[in-house]
Amino acid sequence: MKYDVKNLKLAELGKKRIEWADNDMPVLQNVRAKFAKTKPFKGQKMSACLHVTAETANLVRTLKAGGADILLVASNPLSTQDDVAAALVKYYKIPVMAIRGEDKNTYYQHLNAALKHKPVITMDDGADLISLLHSKYKAWAPNIKGSMEETTTGVIRLKAMEAEGKLNLPVIAVNDAQTKNMFDNRYGTGQSTVDGIIRATDILLAGKYVVAAGYGWCGRGFAMRARGMGAKVIVTEVNKIKALEAAMDGFDVMPIKAAAKIGDLFCTLTGDIHVLRAEHFKLMKDGAIVCNSGHFDVEIDIKALKKLSSKVRKGVRNFVDEYTVGKKRIFVLADGRLINLAAAEGHPASVMDMSFSTQALASEYVARNYKQLDNKVYYVPQNIEETVADLKLKAMKIAIDKLTPEQEKYLASWSIGT
Ligand code: ADE
């Protein structure tokens, strides 16, 4: 078995962390038990390009239980948990090519290996794998039954490819499932971003001005959790409706240039480029902390910050670099990469349970129905969302009501009015 991980000696610790995460992933356990019987991927090669975490380990175990010959590579150079990668190789016999802190060259060597594996089903988080497929491995694309996309940024890229007529395989936008984004993007990002910031800095959030750039699901989650910790939260937006929503949720809403003068801590969660740039750094207070929780490290213009700075001190603390701009210091966390996976452990297992059960069931759907799929971006079928929600409710021991026949009839009729 070919693999490239940091150190197999870390495997025991990784196995314990995988098992600990699995305790909080009852829906995925259920899917795994079903796959072990039905083997929907029997003998099929799969490649997954995902954050290599304990939760992802439980997903790839599930696909392997379903008969897949699966290879895992990292979807970000800084998010790999080396102990988990080692455990997957040593104890679960799943090939992994991922090393935390790998350079861009190694990152792409690993992505190349994922495509040389000749997968017929792929999984991506950010669409780097599919982008590489469409450049260097174009000839292989027709062999792929379908791909799953885990994150907002990836879905945006794939929809752009579809709009240009360049998408050469069917894609299921797992990110757009309610069982994914309402929970993972909101509560997962909300908690893990605060977790990453605190682990990196050890700051007290209470009483601080915290600026959340972006009020999508991730921004909403982060703003909500930062407020819960006692921060005075300011939201910045470009979308009129989201800005109104933030205002009516009780947050201060203002342009980022106005917020730049006030914030103690800035977090970008937009999916767009150069949200924090030179004009903003110049206005920030001494000691301002900036970080990013969006998928790519493009949201903070670090090059511009470097240019403005008379001095840069790397690693004043783990994950913290100090930039001196005039007489002021600005602290950048985790090189502007996603703070929740770089400085913390990503979203908690309980929420990844829903995302990865949706991933696993969407993959089964592709394996069974690929002949009916065109080269388009598809929503996750509603019955998969219902299954995941149902199993999660059961695992949480929450019972809900059912419509009475009279209520069903009422909802299906138009004749009863005032
Ligand atoms: N994305 C965010 N959190 C994650 C986690 N724990 N595992 C995999 N992908 C993630």
Side-chain angles (χ1 to χ4, degrees):
M1 181 173 80
K2 264 196 178 170
Y3 61 86
D4 190 15
V5 300
K6 176 121 190 216
N7 185 351
L8 281 185
K9 289 197 183 121
L10 300 169
E12 206 175 327
L13 175 62
K15 184 165 183 278
K16 284 186 192 154
R17 291 188 49 244
I18 292 168
E19 287 166 0
W20 177 253
D22 204 42
N23 289 336
D24 241 351
M25 304 182 89
V27 182
L28 197 60
Q29 284 178 27
N30 186 301
V31 174
R32 194 179 310 139
K34 182 184 96 165
F35 282 1
K37 283 194 201 127
T38 57
K39 301 280 178 201
F41 313 113
K42 196 169 174 195
Q44 300 193 27
K45 286 184 185 262
M46 293 177 79
S47 292
C49 176
L50 299 168
H51 298 295
V52 180
T53 65
E55 293 74 27
T56 301
N58 287 316
L59 169 63
V60 292
R61 285 176 61 201
T62 305
L63 301 169
K64 184 172 172 163
D69 168 3
I70 181 150
L71 183 142
L72 174 65
V73 299
S75 59
N76 185 296
L78 255 196
S79 61
T80 298
Q81 297 171 1
D82 289 319
D83 53 348
V84 167
L88 279 171
V89 170
K90 182 163 176 189
Y91 292 109
Y92 300 98
K93 308 294 173 211
I94 294 174
V96 181
M97 301 206 141
I99 298 173
R100 189 183 184 84
E102 61 194 12
D103 60 19
K104 205 169 172 180
N105 204 14
T106 313
Y107 175 76
Y108 272 99
Q109 269 174 25
H110 291 159
L111 260 67
N112 274 282
L115 293 174
K116 285 183 186 148
H117 182 57
K118 301 199 162 159
V120 296
I121 297 177
T122 54
M123 270 179 192
D124 217 349
D125 187 330
D128 276 351
L129 190 68
I130 293 304
S131 171
L132 183 64
L133 174 79
H134 282 70
S135 54
K136 231 173 123 184
Y137 296 87
K138 265 188 190 143
W140 187 251
N143 298 304
I144 299 188
K145 295 175 177 169
S147 189
M148 270 43 67
E149 174 50 54
E150 168 75 8
T151 201
T152 315
T153 297
V155 172
I156 291 169
R157 290 176 87 186
L158 292 160
K159 284 190 175 160
M161 289 170 80
E162 184 187 359
E164 281 183 26
K166 299 242 165 87
L167 189 67
N168 286 341
L169 78 175
V171 171
I172 311 279
V174 171
N175 177 73
D176 292 1
Q178 287 186 300
T179 45
K180 199 272 179 182
N181 59 45
M182 281 176 66
F183 305 92
D184 169 316
N185 299 26
R186 179 167 39 173
Y187 305 115
T189 306
Q191 179 166 321
S192 63
T193 301
V194 169
D195 184 13
I197 291 166
I198 292 175
R199 288 198 210 192
T201 62
D202 200 26
I203 58 164
L204 180 76
L205 286 176
K208 294 265 191 320
Y209 281 104
V210 169
V211 180
Y215 205 64
W217 285 117
C218 296
R220 288 181 192 120
F222 173 65
M224 179 203 298
R225 292 301 181 245
R227 175 158 69 186
M229 299 284 282
K232 292 174 277 193
V233 179
I234 297 168
V235 170
T236 70
E237 247 307 335
V238 292
N239 177 297
K240 299 175 184 75
I241 296 171
K242 288 182 185 165
L244 270 175
E245 185 187 4
M248 293 200 191
D249 282 346
F251 295 107
D252 269 340
V253 179
M254 63 182 77
I256 199 157
K257 213 162 170 180
K261 296 180 208 150
I262 304 170
D264 298 300
L265 167 73
F266 298 80
C267 184
T268 51
L269 311 99
T270 70
D272 211 341
I273 193 166
H274 297 169
V275 177
L276 284 174
R277 46 189 185 266
E279 58 182 309
H280 308 126
F281 300 131
K282 286 181 195 162
L283 298 172
M284 285 181 187
K285 300 193 290 198
D286 178 40
I289 297 170
V290 300
C291 66
N292 165 53
S293 205
H295 184 78
F296 286 121
D297 59 345
V298 297
E299 303 209 15
I300 303 169
D301 188 354
I302 294 185
K303 260 197 200 145
L305 179 58
K306 248 185 217 152
K307 233 171 148 187
L308 280 180
S309 301
S310 55
K311 197 164 116 193
V312 180
R313 288 206 301 146
K314 300 288 277 179
V316 292
R317 188 181 151 90
N318 269 349
F319 303 109
V320 187
D321 296 336
E322 179 191 278
Y323 291 75
T324 304
V325 177
K327 289 197 172 130
K328 297 181 291 191
R329 296 157 308 156
I330 294 174
F331 297 104
V332 177
L333 307 188
D335 296 321
R337 293 197 184 276
L338 12 77
I339 186 67
N340 59 339
L341 279 141
E345 293 168 69
H347 305 348
S350 174
V351 86
M352 295 312 294
D353 187 28
M354 296 178 68
S355 312
F356 283 165
S357 298
T358 309
Q359 276 275 11
L361 293 172
S363 311
E364 180 190 29
Y365 173 79
V366 164
R368 296 201 194 285
N369 299 285
Y370 67 98
K371 286 189 184 140
Q372 283 95 273
L373 300 177
D374 298 321
N375 295 344
K376 287 196 210 156
V377 179
Y378 288 92
Y379 286 111
V380 170
Q382 184 63 24
N383 67 325
I384 292 182
E385 297 226 40
E386 300 278 335
T387 303
V388 172
D390 193 39
L391 289 170
K392 191 70 176 175
L393 280 170
K394 285 200 174 99
M396 293 171 79
K397 302 203 172 5
I398 296 171
I400 63 168
D401 292 322
K402 260 203 172 116
L403 292 173
T404 64
E406 182 194 28
Q407 287 172 329
E408 263 181 39
K409 198 167 157 206
Y410 177 76
L411 290 176
S413 74
W414 54 267
S415 56
I416 309 170
T418 312

